[in-house]
Amino acid sequence: TNTSDLLSAESRAEIDKWIAKYPVDQKQSACMAALRIAQDANGGYLTEPLMAAVADYLEMPKISVYEVATFYSMYELSPVGEHKICICTNISCMLRGSDEVVAHFDKRLGIKLGETTEDGKFTLKEVECLGACVNAPVAQLGREYHENLTSETIDALLVQLE
């Protein structure tokens, strides 16, 4: 059964732009981009039928798509809040106070890492290195990095988002 009709025409057009970047027989190279596009179009998370649709569209085994979606932390397999805040807790961020960052978000939002606020507005997620160690501690919100985090900068960020 071809499930790629689960992908909107807009999503398929965006995926096609990524497919065009690779040799004709290497459509599967667009897998990560296709998963991001499908996730964005689905409110921030992937379902099994959506992952199957990506596999069908890229003419690759479903298991290969599931492997990518479950390996990388930018893909979500269940609903997340409107604002997903990814906090790095790896060594550089830890040494520069990520524990305090996590504690402050927890205090302000009333949720722990891996949880979503009751109103569905915020999800806190622990992630490995975001590659901005020089400005640790760091969190990612959407496609933006927030660096050198302090209680004050966290408060200012949350005020902007509320």
Side-chain angles (χ1 to χ4, degrees), residues 2 16 28 59 62 66 70 76-77 83 94 100 105 118 126 143 162:
N2 190 323
D16 287 345
Q28 74 275 12
E59 299 171 351
K62 290 173 181 52
Y66 300 152
T70 57
E76 300 298 334
L77 303 180
H83 303 291
M94 186 187 73
E100 290 86 355
F105 272 114
E118 269 185 46
E126 180 175 30
R143 295 184 183 186
E162 288 165 347

Side-chain angles (χ1 to χ4, degrees), residues 10-11 14-15 18 32-42:
E10 187 179 276
S11 291
E14 198 175 339
I15 293 167
W18 283 92
M32 290 185 71
L35 286 171
R36 179 189 50 76
I37 291 162
Q39 176 170 278
D40 289 350
N42 192 52

Side-chain angles (χ1 to χ4, degrees), residues 7 34 88 95 152:
L7 300 169
C88 176
L95 290 172
E152 294 77 20

Side-chain angles (χ1 to χ4, degrees), residues 12-103:
R12 290 193 304 269
E14 198 175 339
I15 293 167
D16 287 345
K17 289 178 188 168
W18 283 92
I19 291 171
K21 296 178 187 219
Y22 302 102
V24 176
D25 62 339
Q26 299 292 315
K27 282 175 103 168
Q28 74 275 12
S29 298
C31 183
M32 290 185 71
L35 286 171
R36 179 189 50 76
I37 291 162
Q39 176 170 278
D40 289 350
N42 192 52
Y45 73 103
L46 294 164
T47 61
E48 277 198 39
L50 266 178
M51 290 184 276
V54 167
D56 285 345
Y57 197 70
L58 298 178
E59 299 171 351
M60 59 189 287
K62 290 173 181 52
I63 187 64
S64 299
V65 173
Y66 300 152
E67 286 170 347
V68 172
T70 57
F71 180 79
Y72 293 100
S73 64
M74 73 276 265
Y75 303 116
E76 300 298 334
L77 303 180
S78 55
V80 292
E82 178 186 345
H83 303 291
K84 180 174 73 169
I85 302 168
C86 298
I87 306 169
C88 176
T89 57
N90 213 321
I91 189 72
S92 295
C93 284
M94 186 187 73
L95 290 172
R96 300 226 25 221
S98 65
D99 290 348
E100 290 86 355
V101 167
V102 170

